[in-house]
Amino acid sequence: MKIKRYAEYIKITKNEVGMSEGSYQFIHVDSYGREGSTQTKTSMDKHGAKVTTTTKSRSASDILNEQWRVDGACPHIENPRKPGLLYGVEPAEVLPIMNQWADQAKDAQGRKLRKDGHCILIGVASLPRSMEDNFPEFAEDTLIWLKEKYGDRLKSVVVHDDEAHPHLHFSVVPNIGEKFEDIHDGFKASKKAKTDGKLKSDQNYAYKEAMRNYQDEFSKNVAMAHGLTRIGPGRRRLTRSQWHAEKKQAAYFANAKNMAMVHARKGYKAGLEKAKVQAKEIILSAQKEAQSIGVKVASAFTGAINGWHSPSAKAIATAEKIKVEAEKLQEETKKNAEATKKIADQRVATVGNQITEVLIKNKNLEKELKIAEEKISSLATISNWYEKKFGKAPDNLPKIK
C-alpha cells in the first residue's frame, strides 16, 4: 500500500470555503504476483567500492493478508482493527481466483506465467481525515465507478479505519482467457505502443499518459463531486490564490451534487404522495359511483313493487286483467333489474380494475421508496460509525449492492 505517500502530500492549511488540508484526490494501483520478485542493484559508495543490494517485492498474498488484518501481516499499524467488507468476497477468497487465472495464463512468448508475474491489480482510494464524515458516500461512489470500470473482474473491496486516512482497497483479477494488461490501463497502452513499433521512450510515455487518464477518469466520476481537486498544489507549483480558486470550484461541484440529490429525493417523495392522493380520489369516486348505481337498482325494484301493490277502483272491477298485466310488469321488471344489475356489475368491475391498477402502481412506488430508504439507512449506519472518529470498528459494514 502507498498510504505513506499520501500522508506526505498533506501540507495545505484550512481555507475560507471550509475545505480542509489535503482536499485533493488520492487513488493508486499496483500489480502483484503470486510471489514477490527479487531485484539486485549495484552502486558505488563514497569510497568508490561497489555495493550490491538485493530487495524483494511483496506478493499478492502479503497484500491481501494485510488488507484483512491477518495477525502479523501489518506490523506498520500500531493498533490494527477488523476491516469492513464493502463488496465481493474476503481478500483470502481472492487468492484461489487469482491462482486459477495465473495457472492458465501465458506470457508474451507463450510460456507459462512466472511465479512473480503480475496476476492481480490492487488499488487504494482515500480521503483526508478531516473529510471522514463524507467517506460513506465517497466509498459508495467509488464502488459504483469500480464496478462500471472492471465489471465482474472486481472481486473484493474492503474499508480500513485504523490508519492516517479513511480508505478502501479494491482487488481486480482478469477473467479466464484475458491478459493482465486487459485490466491495467498503463500496461495496455504501453503494449499497444510496442505493437505499433514505437520506441521504448514512447512506450513509457504511453504508459504515463494512460495512468494520467485513469486519474482524470476518477476525478470526473468520483472525486470532483466530493469537492476534491485533481492534483495537489505542491505538485503543480500553484500559487495560494490559484489553489484557493480551484478548491472553490471543487466545492461548487460537490455542493451542486448534494443539492441535486436533495431535490431528487424531495421530488420522488412528492411524486409518491401525489400518486397516493390520486389513488384515494379514484377509490372515493368509484365508491360513490357504485353507491349511486345501487340506489338506482333499488329504486327500480321499489317502483315496480309499489306499482303492483297500488290497486285502484277500476283495477278491482277488472281484477283478472290487472293480474295478467301485473304479472307481465313483474316479468319485465325482473328482466330490467337483471340488465341493470349486469350493467352495474360491469361498471363496478371496471372501476374495481382501475382501483387495482392504481393500488399496484402505488405498491410498486412504495417498494421503490422502501429500497431508497433502506439504502439511506445503510449509509446512515456507516456514517454513524465514522462519527465515532474511528474509535471502534464494526464487525462488518453493510454491503452496497
Side-chain angles (χ1 to χ4, degrees):
M1 294 188 303
K2 306 296 182 182
I3 297 300
K4 290 185 178 179
R5 290 187 188 177
Y6 180 76
E8 293 171 358
Y9 295 158
I10 311 302
K11 297 178 181 177
I12 309 302
T13 57
K14 293 182 179 180
N15 61 78
E16 61 272 17
V17 295
M19 305 290 287
S20 55
E21 57 179 347
S23 52
Y24 44 90
Q25 73 179 44
F26 179 83
I27 183 169
H28 180 81
V29 292
D30 268 325
S31 307
Y32 298 92
R34 289 169 287 182
E35 294 182 0
S37 60
T38 301
Q39 298 178 341
T40 301
K41 182 179 179 181
T42 301
S43 59
M44 305 290 287
D45 64 13
K46 62 180 180 179
H47 302 295
K50 289 185 178 181
V51 177
T52 301
T53 56
T54 301
T55 58
K56 186 173 183 178
S57 62
R58 303 174 72 189
S59 67
S61 60
D62 292 336
I63 302 301
L64 292 172
N65 286 337
E66 180 184 320
Q67 280 188 18
W68 205 236
R69 297 302 188 244
V70 175
D71 289 343
C74 40
H76 62 290
I77 301 174
E78 186 175 353
N79 296 305
R81 290 193 290 274
K82 184 176 177 61
L85 179 61
L86 193 62
Y87 173 81
V89 301
E90 295 181 7
E93 296 179 46
V94 178
L95 279 174
I97 300 174
M98 178 198 74
N99 288 330
Q100 183 182 15
W101 178 85
D103 289 341
Q104 58 82 53
K106 306 290 183 182
D107 64 14
Q109 286 72 40
R111 298 170 301 194
K112 293 186 66 175
L113 188 69
R114 290 167 42 128
K115 289 293 186 180
D116 60 356
H118 295 146
C119 53
I120 187 171
L121 181 74
I122 296 178
V124 58
S126 69
L127 279 181
R129 171 64 64 182
S130 54
M131 296 178 67
E132 65 184 69
D133 289 342
N134 192 44
F135 187 75
E137 282 191 1
F138 171 81
E140 181 191 24
D141 289 347
T142 301
L143 177 57
I144 292 172
W145 177 72
L146 290 171
K147 289 169 72 174
E148 289 178 350
K149 184 171 183 63
Y150 297 111
D152 59 357
R153 302 172 187 84
L154 181 66
K155 303 304 181 183
S156 176
V157 181
V158 298
V159 175
H160 287 166
D161 68 338
D162 53 8
E163 295 185 70
H165 308 281
H167 61 278
L168 58 85
H169 290 276
F170 54 94
S171 301
V172 185
V173 179
N175 287 326
I176 300 297
E178 292 182 329
K179 301 293 185 181
F180 183 75
E181 54 264 26
D182 290 331
I183 65 169
H184 194 295
D185 293 16
F187 289 165
K188 182 186 293 184
S190 178
K191 182 178 180 180
K192 185 178 184 306
K194 182 178 181 179
T195 303
D196 292 342
K198 295 185 178 181
L199 298 175
K200 185 64 177 179
S201 58
D202 293 327
Q203 296 172 30
N204 292 337
Y205 178 81
Y207 177 94
K208 293 177 182 179
E209 187 66 19
M211 298 314 294
R212 278 192 288 267
N213 291 337
Y214 185 91
Q215 295 283 340
D216 291 340
E217 185 182 344
F218 181 75
S219 176
K220 178 182 177 182
N221 289 278
V222 181
M224 185 181 295
H226 292 273
L228 298 171
T229 60
R230 165 67 174 80
I231 304 175
R235 300 181 65 189
R236 290 179 293 165
R237 292 186 172 85
L238 296 180
T239 65
R240 188 172 183 79
S241 61
Q242 288 173 328
W243 174 234
H244 285 339
E246 187 165 320
K247 286 206 284 186
K248 284 182 179 179
Q249 183 185 42
Y252 169 79
F253 283 116
N255 291 335
K257 178 202 173 188
N258 291 334
M259 290 302 296
M261 290 179 65
V262 170
H263 287 307
R265 284 194 290 267
K266 287 183 178 178
Y268 180 85
K269 290 183 178 180
L272 180 60
E273 290 303 318
K274 185 177 180 180
K276 288 181 178 178
V277 171
Q278 290 176 343
K280 187 176 181 181
E281 290 175 352
I282 292 175
I283 292 171
L284 290 175
S285 176
Q287 290 174 340
K288 288 180 180 179
E289 189 168 0
Q291 186 178 11
S292 175
I293 293 172
V295 170
K296 291 178 182 178
V297 173
S299 297
F301 279 114
T302 302
I305 293 171
N306 288 341
W308 192 71
H309 287 289
S310 299
S312 63
K314 185 178 180 180
I316 295 174
T318 55
E320 290 298 325
K321 183 179 179 180
I322 291 176
K323 181 179 178 182
V324 172
E325 292 178 351
E327 289 175 350
K328 184 179 179 180
L329 175 62
Q330 186 181 31
E331 186 65 26
E332 290 178 353
T333 301
K334 182 179 179 181
K335 290 180 179 179
N336 291 336
E338 290 176 351
T340 303
K341 184 176 182 300
K342 184 177 181 180
I343 294 172
D345 289 343
Q346 289 176 344
R347 297 186 68 181
V348 170
T350 300
V351 175
N353 289 336
Q354 293 176 346
I355 294 172
T356 301
E357 290 177 2
V358 172
L359 290 175
I360 291 173
K361 291 179 181 179
N362 198 38
K363 188 174 182 180
N364 290 336
L365 287 173
E366 289 177 345
K367 284 182 179 179
E368 292 180 17
L369 179 60
K370 185 177 180 181
I371 292 173
E373 288 175 345
E374 288 176 351
K375 187 175 182 180
I376 293 172
S377 175
S378 177
L379 292 177
T381 300
I382 304 174
S383 180
N384 290 336
W385 172 43
Y386 278 95
E387 284 177 2
K388 295 179 181 179
K389 302 298 181 183
F390 298 88
K392 182 179 181 298
D395 291 335
N396 203 357
L397 283 177
K399 292 185 178 180
I400 300 175
K401 301 294 183 182

